[in-house]
Amino acid sequence: MNELAADPFSPYVRTTPVGLPPGAAGAFDLEACNALMRTGSKTFFAASRLLPARVRASSIALYAFCRVADDMVDGGRHSLADAMALLSQRLDAIYAGHPQDPVEDRALAVVVQRHALPRALLDALLDGFAWDAEGRRYDTLEAVHDYGARVAGSVGAMMCWIMGVRHEQAMARACELGVAMQLTNIARDVGEDARNGRLYLPRQWLAEAGIDADAWLRQPVCTPALQGVIERLLREADRLYEQATAGVALLPRDCRSAILAARHIYAEIGQQLRRDGLDPVSRRAVVPTSRKLVLLACAGVQSGWRARPGPVTPPLPAIAYLVAHCGCSADGMEPVSASRRRSDIGRVGWMLELMERLEQQRLDEAARGRVAH
């Protein structure tokens, strides 16, 4: 059966586009959100394909709204105050059960209704987008953590929530995984951000390395001092990846491979950056598809090993308020059937096969290009 047609999004009642049967309304909304995700984070999209259908549909809808909200705040079509007011109104309507017309609003309304998603998590994400738009300074690592908690830790918390997990340690580790990913993004995008007048590296670290942050922003160059700061940030990301991985065992079994895949691929961006000589000013680190295949396979195998959670660890201070907003307990987790565990193995195999086909297609196109020239 087509998963879109079988998903609870499908019977969602709304005004459908011309020529679209009423029963396909939810599927249309979800596919529109899916298209947004394909053009966004490739790692998130690839990892989401390993999620079970009951979680994947909600994650797609959630990602689409977040992506559109980010573009709205940062796109320049609205003032920051107007964009935030409009998004707040849209969330008000979504949580009241009367979403506005955009497909991402309608899809998110289903997620909110289905999972009772805490509004505070979405508000935290929007705060992070506003911090971006207003060009906030980040003087310390703790300030960067605060930013990462909003723009990525909140997403980790929402993903954990829609998986059905209400365990406070699982929620803390999910938020920390989001922060780790954001630190990796910051390290990878140092040059691109600087050319856009933005700086997310801790200014205190730059000063300790003898770098005048404002002068460097006017003329961004890669120096040994800058490389030392980037390596320092990657080590902090690695620490958080390790801490976050301890919470994977608290997730449903059929979700573990997707989360491990995202964790491994994002961490590999940092390793690729190191292999490239820690120079994100001149080039953007990209993990080859062949390496992603290996990491996806590792995630599939390791998901079966993660049977015991790590030790109880206090949450990173920056994400403690997100965990508190969720009101989690020490034991809230839904059971997972054996059939879900078996289907998890099938999804990993399917994803590996797909990525192999894509890699072969890329090689074939490159070969044809060489022949043509």
Side-chain angles (χ1 to χ4, degrees):
M1 180 183 292
N2 185 300
E3 286 183 343
L4 288 179
D7 190 88
F9 278 86
S10 294
Y12 184 57
V13 178
R14 67 171 182 84
T15 302
T16 60
V18 175
L20 188 67
F28 175 84
D29 285 350
L30 191 58
E31 182 53 35
C33 293
N34 210 355
L36 281 171
M37 192 164 74
R38 288 192 197 101
T39 60
S41 169
K42 293 181 176 61
T43 298
F44 188 95
F45 180 71
S48 75
R49 301 298 298 183
L50 298 179
L51 288 168
R54 63 190 175 82
V55 175
R56 185 165 63 248
S58 293
S59 69
I60 290 170
L62 177 63
Y63 180 91
F65 182 87
C66 296
R67 169 82 185 279
V68 169
D70 189 17
D71 290 346
M72 186 174 174
V73 172
D74 205 28
R77 295 180 59 187
H78 304 275
S79 69
L80 176 57
D82 287 345
M84 294 301 293
L86 288 169
L87 286 169
S88 182
Q89 291 168 11
R90 287 170 67 172
L91 282 180
D92 288 343
I94 287 168
Y95 275 83
H98 304 290
Q100 297 179 18
D101 191 55
V103 291
E104 63 272 10
D105 288 33
R106 293 192 297 266
L108 181 59
V110 178
V111 176
V112 167
Q113 183 180 28
R114 180 195 292 175
H115 301 287
L117 186 68
R119 166 84 183 253
L121 299 179
L122 282 161
D123 286 335
L125 180 66
L126 295 186
D127 284 345
F129 293 161
W131 286 16
D132 265 338
E134 67 190 25
R136 183 173 290 226
R137 290 169 57 105
Y138 303 100
D139 291 326
T140 64
L141 175 63
E142 291 72 24
V144 177
H145 282 164
D146 287 340
Y147 168 69
R150 285 158 177 79
V151 297
S154 61
V155 177
M158 287 187 279
M159 288 297 298
C160 190
W161 189 274
I162 65 178
M163 288 176 191
V165 179
R166 305 293 183 266
H167 194 297
E168 59 187 13
Q169 283 291 301
M171 192 66 67
R173 305 293 84 84
C175 292
E176 288 159 356
L177 179 58
V179 174
M181 290 177 172
Q182 190 60 34
L183 296 184
T184 299
N185 282 339
I186 288 170
R188 178 194 61 193
D189 297 338
V190 163
E192 181 181 344
D193 288 334
R195 287 184 283 274
N196 290 321
R198 292 180 174 176
L199 179 64
Y200 298 95
L201 296 174
R203 286 172 177 258
Q204 184 181 84
W205 288 9
L206 292 170
E208 291 169 2
I211 299 172
D212 183 310
D214 293 323
W216 182 85
L217 265 176
R218 290 191 293 271
Q219 189 175 3
V221 293
C222 185
T223 64
L226 181 71
Q227 290 169 325
V229 172
I230 292 168
E231 173 59 35
R232 191 175 175 183
L233 190 67
L234 289 176
R235 287 199 300 269
E236 174 63 9
D238 290 342
R239 182 185 75 83
L240 290 176
Y241 282 125
E242 287 304 310
Q243 185 162 306
T245 304
V248 171
L250 295 169
L251 301 177
R253 285 184 177 271
D254 58 350
C255 295
R256 293 176 192 172
S257 59
I259 300 308
L260 283 170
R263 176 252 187 265
H264 287 323
I265 293 173
Y266 261 91
E268 186 66 16
I269 293 172
Q271 296 304 319
Q272 185 64 44
L273 184 53
R274 288 175 171 123
R275 288 191 287 269
D276 289 344
L278 291 172
D279 182 6
V281 178
S282 302
R283 62 185 297 184
R284 192 172 192 265
V286 177
V287 178
T289 301
S290 57
R291 181 59 181 160
K292 288 181 181 178
L293 288 170
V294 173
L295 295 173
L296 282 166
C298 290
V301 173
Q302 291 175 8
S303 66
W305 301 345
R306 298 287 174 178
R308 298 180 62 182
V312 174
T313 307
L316 186 72
I319 61 97
Y321 85 107
L322 293 172
V323 178
H325 274 308
C326 292
C328 295
S329 66
D331 59 356
M333 184 168 58
E334 294 179 345
V336 178
S337 67
S339 62
R340 286 181 182 173
R341 293 194 291 270
R342 289 193 296 270
S343 68
D344 186 44
I345 298 172
R347 274 191 302 278
V348 172
W350 177 88
M351 192 63 194
L352 289 169
E353 182 182 346
L354 172 63
M355 293 193 73
E356 286 170 356
R357 289 200 303 269
L358 290 173
E359 177 67 3
Q360 188 59 51
Q361 180 181 343
R362 184 188 67 79
L363 294 173
D364 291 345
E365 289 175 351
R368 285 195 295 272
R370 287 194 295 270
V371 170
H373 289 87

